Amino acid sequence: MKKCPECGNPSYDGAPVCGNCGYKFPKPKVKVPVQEDIFEDRPIINKNENEESTIDIIKENKIVIGTILLITLIVIGIIIATGPSSDMTKNVNGTNKYSDANFTFSYPSAWKEINGSDELHSGAIFFEGSNNTRIEYYNSTSDLSSISELNTQRASSAQGSNAKINTIQPIQINGQNASNVILENSNGNFTRYVSLLNNGKIYVFKIDGKTMNDVTSNEIESVLKTVKY
């Protein structure tokens, strides 16, 4: 119940006017509910004590995870180090190794692989050694049956190019028969052919240098000693 402020007559709470004097009661203020703030803090929901958090799981399995990561890094390192299949592999003793089917040899890491061309042997590789010595390696099929025949063929080829034969002899490389031919070219430079014959294949090192010492240096001889096939 409420009372009229003019005459004091009692009226019910929802009456718009006083039934005695006609006084108009003011409209009651409607209380608007406070809108919920979407950014207000929410109560933290505690997980079941038996449930492990992701961080706890990682902590408990860090040894296993660490091992997996280590193995992954090692595998990636090996892939990067080896790269795609290649005939060139680097050793830790300052030399590189070249493999050609069953034929291999090692050469100083100081040798630079250079661009070169050989019309008769498209798969030849070229290096630059000490004193600007140029070393070419290639292989090809052959119907020759002996080192003697190989030397004869090399001598005939030299005569056709107006080169003087300085040396022509059979030698052995790691117990295998080989041919050693040294030519003095018309320009005064020297070319040495070291050839190995095996199972219908001829493996050849062609060394070009300014002097005889360049093509017969200890550096060249050390490479020839590493030949295996």
Side-chain angles (χ1 to χ4, degrees):
M1 297 291 289
K2 59 184 177 180
K3 290 184 179 182
C4 176
E6 293 292 333
C7 64
N9 184 61
S11 301
Y12 62 92
D13 289 337
V17 296
C18 175
N20 182 45
C21 67
Y23 173 80
K24 294 182 178 180
F25 293 109
K27 295 181 179 180
K29 294 181 179 181
V30 179
K31 187 175 181 180
V32 179
V34 179
Q35 190 173 16
E36 184 179 19
D37 188 354
I38 62 173
F39 297 105
E40 68 178 352
D41 294 337
R42 293 286 188 271
I44 298 174
I45 300 175
N46 294 324
K47 292 184 177 181
N48 190 311
E49 293 181 358
N50 294 327
E51 293 183 13
E52 290 184 301
S53 67
T54 303
I55 296 177
D56 291 334
I57 294 174
I58 293 174
K59 287 181 178 179
E60 291 178 3
N61 296 277
K62 61 182 179 181
I63 296 178
V64 176
I65 296 173
T67 302
I68 294 173
L69 289 175
L70 179 60
I71 294 174
T72 303
L73 291 174
I74 291 174
V75 172
I76 293 174
I78 292 173
I79 293 173
I80 294 174
T82 57
S85 298
S86 172
D87 291 329
M88 307 288 188
T89 56
K90 183 169 288 187
N91 299 329
V92 296
N93 59 355
T95 62
N96 294 343
K97 186 177 181 180
Y98 178 83
S99 297
D100 177 15
N102 295 325
F103 189 92
T104 65
F105 63 88
S106 298
Y107 60 94
S109 56
W111 281 14
K112 297 178 182 178
E113 187 175 358
I114 59 176
N115 293 326
S117 63
D118 187 330
E119 294 181 358
L120 299 178
H121 309 98
S122 59
I125 60 171
F126 298 83
F127 302 97
E128 182 181 293
S130 299
N131 300 326
N132 295 320
T133 304
R134 174 172 162 165
I135 302 94
E136 176 186 358
Y137 166 77
Y138 62 86
N139 71 75
S140 61
T141 57
S142 174
D143 57 0
L144 300 176
S145 59
S146 68
I147 294 299
S148 177
E149 287 182 318
L150 181 58
N151 284 338
T152 300
Q153 185 186 72
R154 187 67 68 193
S156 298
S157 177
Q159 291 174 353
S161 61
N162 295 322
K164 296 179 182 178
I165 299 175
N166 180 284
T167 303
I168 182 167
Q169 63 183 157
I171 59 174
Q172 282 202 335
I173 297 178
N174 289 334
Q176 301 293 330
N177 292 329
S179 167
N180 182 45
V181 176
I182 301 176
L183 307 178
E184 185 177 352
N185 303 310
S186 57
N187 61 2
N189 292 344
F190 288 81
T191 299
R192 182 184 182 189
Y193 292 91
V194 178
S195 309
L196 302 96
L197 187 63
N198 184 48
N199 292 330
K201 294 282 286 186
I202 181 173
Y203 304 91
V204 180
F205 290 93
K206 179 183 176 184
I207 306 105
D208 290 303
K210 293 181 179 179
T211 67
M212 173 72 77
N213 289 334
D214 289 339
V215 299
T216 59
S217 66
N218 291 332
E219 182 178 75
I220 298 297
E221 297 302 322
S222 66
V223 171
L224 295 176
K225 290 178 181 178
T226 67
V227 170
K228 294 181 181 178
Y229 65 96

